Amino acid sequence: MKIKNKLSYGMGALFGMILFLGLVSVGYIVKISADTQSIYDNNNNSLDYARNMLTALETIGTDDAARAIFQENLERQKRNITEDDEKDVTRKLELHYTEYIQTGSSLLLQKIRTDLYHVMSLNMNSVHLKQKMIGDMVHSALLWISVAALLCLVVAAIMFFRFPKSIVEPIKRLTNGILEISQGNYQKRLPVNSNDEFKMVSHSFNKMAESLEEFKAGSLEDILSAKKYIEAIVNSITEPIIGLDKEKRIVFINNEALNILNLKREEVLGKLAAEISLRNDLLRRLIKELLNRDTKKEPLKIYADNKESYFKAFYIPIIIRGEDKEQENRGDVILLRNITEFKELDAAKTTFISTISHELKTPVSAIMMSLQLLEDKRIGELNGEQHQLSESIKENSERLIKIIGELLNMTQVEAGRLQLMPKVTKPIELIDYAINANRVQADKFNCHIEVDYPEKISKLFVDSEKIAWVITNLLSNAIRYSSENGRVVIGARQPDSNEVEIFVKDFGKGIDPRYHESIFDRYFRVPGTKVQGSGLGLSISRDFVEAHNGKLTVESELGKGSCFTLHFKV
């Protein structure tokens, strides 16, 4: 039977039971209501008439109105005879009343009262009898309604347990079949012995299962071949590579990665990377960096193949676009790129720059000493043109000394030989040093330096020589990038009890927001800048500040100047 027919028959049976129970209940209620109304309309009316006549009988001998009342109620009683003996009693009552009107005998009054009491007695007995009949009828109604309700309840219970099962059972079989198919049991089949809609569904399901079974049998060899092909490609990659799924389970790893991790393939494939990392420091660092992608990642120093090597880790998410065109992260690939050659070249470059810088300091110092002797008047006066040439040589020599100093500082940072000698220092001491170092340059550009310093501020525990160098460099840049007759503000502030800030603010042309991060790169210069420089000052300044666990930031807008701020924890 089709589901549509089952639902129709079930709803029809339910409607029939409700209709049957309603008709039985309404029938009994209507009958009981009619009998009750009959008692009121017939017997109660006779009782009311008799009581009215008894009342009128008290003054009937002297009051004509009483006679009229009596006569009216007597006529009503004659038209309301409902009991068997009530007609005879009413006739006697009328006869006795007629004789009383004619004779006025008091004996007849007594008979009239007796007749009235007899009428009332007949109706009272009838009321009691009918009430008993109604009570019996109520019990009978309750019995039949209960029987009807019980019958409906039995039918409903049968439908409740049988009807849903007849619909749910095929769906349950289909659901179980789909679950087994999803788990790879392509031999699952559904019975095709019903005549409802599920016959077609079961037939389609079995056909699908057969197709999947054939596909599995035919494509398993292709899948295994493709898997071996992919494994061969992964192992042919000369750089270590590790593949993880969404649960951070290792799904593939090449021989290079196994070599540097000092692990075996059977120990890691299909295992959670977090569990393996508990006994492998290198893998633990890789997983930690993978989970914290935003952190700055330093190259890995690994001892493998009897030599010290450097690797740069790259973490590549595996993104798959679903049918709904939403991207889903299905895992990650960890790729380790061998940068040992570049590290060695960088070290050679650093050594070369350090050597050249030291070698250049000697001839430049000799040039500066010769300039001092040349400017000494004891060996002769210089004419105007000679003096101008001497100042040009001196200016360029000082610039060259500054560049050499920056190169030496850079090589210290790169080589990891930066040594800090911190001591307790007042921020105003660092600011005064920078102002004094740049006073000649400020006078040259006619730049006014303003100091913004609070009355109370915490002291710093820093290497005063290096931080003073940073502030001096920032103040020198601010003076050079300010217009003539401009002003520069240098100062300190303490936004909270745990931090002290030293800032240098100018009101020049500002820096395009696109270059706010690039200006801290080595050798970078903002396009269109005319002021000469090596492009190392800001890079070295940030390195010096970060070596103190501080930060160097910039706030700048075109046409509104720039503000460089050093942030230190106290």
Side-chain angles (χ1 to χ4, degrees):
M1 185 184 296
K2 294 185 177 181
I3 294 178
K4 178 181 178 181
N5 295 335
K6 288 181 180 180
L7 292 173
S8 298
Y9 293 150
M11 296 299 293
L14 182 61
F15 177 76
M17 289 188 295
I18 295 173
L19 182 60
F20 171 69
L21 185 60
L23 289 175
V24 171
S25 302
V26 170
Y28 276 104
I29 290 172
V30 169
K31 184 171 178 54
I32 292 171
S33 177
D35 290 342
T36 304
Q37 187 66 31
S38 175
I39 294 174
Y40 180 81
D41 291 342
N42 299 328
N43 300 105
N44 282 352
N45 286 343
S46 295
L47 290 171
D48 290 339
Y49 301 153
R51 281 192 292 268
N52 291 337
M53 284 186 283
L54 281 173
T55 302
L57 197 61
E58 297 297 329
T59 59
I60 197 169
T62 60
D63 190 356
D64 293 337
R67 288 185 180 185
I69 293 172
F70 189 95
Q71 185 66 39
E72 181 184 355
N73 283 277
L74 178 59
E75 293 298 327
R76 291 179 178 177
Q77 173 59 26
K78 286 165 61 178
R79 295 191 298 269
N80 192 47
I81 295 173
T82 58
E83 307 302 327
D84 294 337
D85 297 333
E86 190 175 5
K87 184 176 181 180
D88 294 336
V89 176
T90 302
R91 189 181 298 115
K92 285 181 182 181
L93 175 63
E94 183 182 14
L95 181 60
H96 290 156
Y97 175 71
T98 303
E99 291 179 359
Y100 171 75
I101 293 301
Q102 294 174 355
T103 62
S105 173
S106 59
L107 181 60
L108 290 172
L109 285 176
Q110 187 61 37
K111 289 181 179 182
I112 292 172
R113 286 192 181 91
T114 302
D115 292 336
L116 290 173
Y117 288 140
H118 195 184
V119 171
M120 295 177 69
S121 177
L122 286 174
N123 282 279
M124 287 294 294
N125 291 335
S126 178
V127 169
H128 291 308
L129 181 61
K130 289 181 179 180
Q131 285 180 343
K132 183 178 180 183
M133 291 174 61
I134 291 173
D136 294 339
M137 190 180 298
V138 169
H139 286 95
S140 177
L142 289 175
L143 176 62
W144 284 107
I145 292 174
S146 299
V147 171
L150 181 61
L151 179 62
C152 293
L153 183 62
V154 171
V155 175
I158 295 173
M159 292 180 62
F160 178 78
F161 289 104
R162 295 293 300 275
F163 184 70
K165 184 178 180 182
S166 66
I167 297 177
V168 172
E169 190 65 30
I171 298 176
K172 187 176 180 181
R173 289 198 302 268
L174 178 62
T175 304
N176 292 335
I178 293 173
L179 182 61
E180 291 199 31
I181 286 290
S182 67
Q183 294 174 351
N185 182 16
Y186 301 131
Q187 297 178 351
K188 177 67 177 177
R189 299 292 184 272
L190 296 180
V192 193
N193 53 6
S194 59
N195 296 320
D196 56 11
E197 293 90 338
F198 286 100
K199 180 178 181 179
M200 184 179 296
V201 175
S202 300
H203 181 72
S204 301
F205 177 88
N206 293 338
K207 188 174 181 180
M208 177 196 68
E210 291 174 2
S211 300
L212 288 174
E213 188 175 12
E214 293 175 0
F215 176 78
K216 177 183 178 183
S219 61
L220 182 59
E221 185 177 350
D222 295 337
I223 293 173
L224 292 175
S225 176
K227 181 175 180 293
K228 292 179 180 179
Y229 182 71
I230 293 173
E231 288 178 350
I233 293 176
V234 172
N235 285 324
S236 66
I237 298 175
T238 57
E239 294 178 333
I241 184 171
I242 305 170
L244 306 173
D245 61 11
K246 289 193 297 185
E247 288 75 27
K248 300 297 180 286
R249 199 182 304 272
I250 299 177
V251 292
F252 64 83
I253 183 170
N254 67 352
N255 295 329
E256 290 294 329
L258 291 171
N259 185 32
I260 66 169
L261 290 172
N262 195 22
L263 293 171
K264 297 180 179 179
R265 189 178 300 275
E266 58 272 13
E267 295 177 347
V268 297
L269 276 183
K271 305 293 180 59
L272 289 172
E275 295 180 359
I276 303 173
S277 65
L278 296 176
R279 58 181 187 275
N280 191 289
D281 295 337
L282 177 56
L283 183 60
R284 182 163 59 249
R285 177 177 172 179
L286 292 174
I287 297 301
K288 183 178 180 181
E289 289 186 355
L290 173 63
L291 297 176
N292 301 281
R293 296 178 186 269
D294 296 334
T295 57
K296 186 177 180 181
K297 302 173 182 63
E298 296 294 332
L300 300 171
K301 185 178 180 181
I302 302 173
Y303 189 80
D305 296 333
N306 298 321
K307 66 176 182 177
E308 196 175 73
S309 302
Y310 292 88
F311 291 86
K312 178 69 174 178
F314 295 89
Y315 303 94
I316 308 166
I318 303 174
I319 305 296
I320 296 179
R321 188 182 298 274
E323 294 182 357
D324 53 358
K325 296 185 179 181
E326 289 188 3
Q327 294 184 347
E328 181 183 1
N329 190 333
R330 301 297 295 272
D332 297 275
V333 173
I334 302 176
L335 176 66
L336 300 179
R337 180 168 296 170
N338 194 332
I339 59 171
T340 304
E341 180 181 356
F342 302 104
K343 196 74 175 176
E344 291 173 350
L345 290 174
D346 188 61
K349 179 262 298 180
T350 301
T351 303
F352 174 77
I353 292 176
S354 177
T355 303
I356 291 298
S357 299
H358 278 287
E359 292 297 326
L360 285 175
K361 286 181 69 176
T362 301
V364 172
S365 299
I367 292 172
M368 294 296 293
M369 185 177 297
S370 298
L371 281 172
Q372 289 180 358
L373 293 174
L374 190 61
E375 291 175 347
D376 194 338
K377 295 181 180 180
R378 290 176 297 178
I379 63 175
E381 292 283 346
L382 297 177
N383 58 33
E385 186 176 354
Q386 291 173 335
H387 183 73
Q388 185 176 0
L389 290 173
S390 173
E391 288 294 327
S392 176
I393 294 172
K394 183 178 180 181
E395 181 179 344
N396 284 281
S397 298
E398 289 176 348
R399 178 168 169 267
L400 186 58
I401 289 176
K402 182 180 179 181
I403 293 174
I404 292 171
E406 290 177 347
L407 289 173
L408 288 174
N409 286 331
M410 183 193 71
T411 56
Q412 286 183 357
V413 173
E414 288 185 343
R417 297 195 303 268
L418 183 63
Q419 295 181 353
L420 300 179
M421 292 182 289
K423 63 180 181 178
V424 177
T425 307
K426 294 180 180 179
I428 191 62
E429 295 176 356
L430 304 173
I431 293 173
D432 287 341
Y433 178 88
I435 293 174
N436 291 330
N438 286 281
R439 192 172 299 280
V440 174
Q441 185 181 11
D443 293 340
K444 178 180 178 181
F445 288 95
N446 197 21
C447 181
H448 179 64
I449 300 176
E450 300 178 6
V451 179
D452 183 4
Y453 196 81
E455 294 183 1
K456 293 184 179 180
I457 192 170
S458 299
K459 296 179 180 180
L460 298 174
F461 186 67
V462 295
D463 187 324
S464 57
E465 180 181 343
K466 289 181 172 55
I467 299 303
W469 185 93
V470 172
I471 301 173
T472 300
N473 181 68
L474 295 176
L475 183 58
S476 174
N477 290 343
I479 294 171
R480 286 187 297 165
Y481 286 98
S482 295
S483 58
E484 286 207 25
N485 301 318
R487 66 189 184 97
V488 173
V489 180
I490 182 172
R493 53 178 173 252
Q494 189 165 4
D496 56 59
S497 58
N498 298 321
E499 185 178 12
V500 169
E501 298 176 353
I502 299 176
F503 62 91
V504 178
K505 183 176 182 180
D506 65 70
F507 301 90
K509 66 177 183 178
I511 304 172
D512 193 314
R514 293 179 297 172
Y515 307 122
H516 282 186
E517 284 299 320
S518 302
I519 58 175
F520 295 102
D521 295 338
R522 290 169 188 167
Y523 310 113
F524 178 83
R525 292 175 57 79
V526 176
T529 302
K530 297 181 180 180
V531 179
Q532 295 181 348
S534 63
L536 291 173
L538 289 178
S539 174
I540 297 171
S541 296
R542 173 169 277 189
D543 289 335
F544 280 0
V545 174
E546 289 181 351
H548 290 81
N549 296 320
K551 291 190 303 181
L552 176 58
T553 60
V554 61
E555 296 178 6
S556 181
E557 291 183 35
L558 289 176
K560 296 184 179 181
S562 305
C563 180
F564 288 84
T565 306
L566 290 76
H567 306 261
F568 296 102
K569 296 294 182 181
V570 294

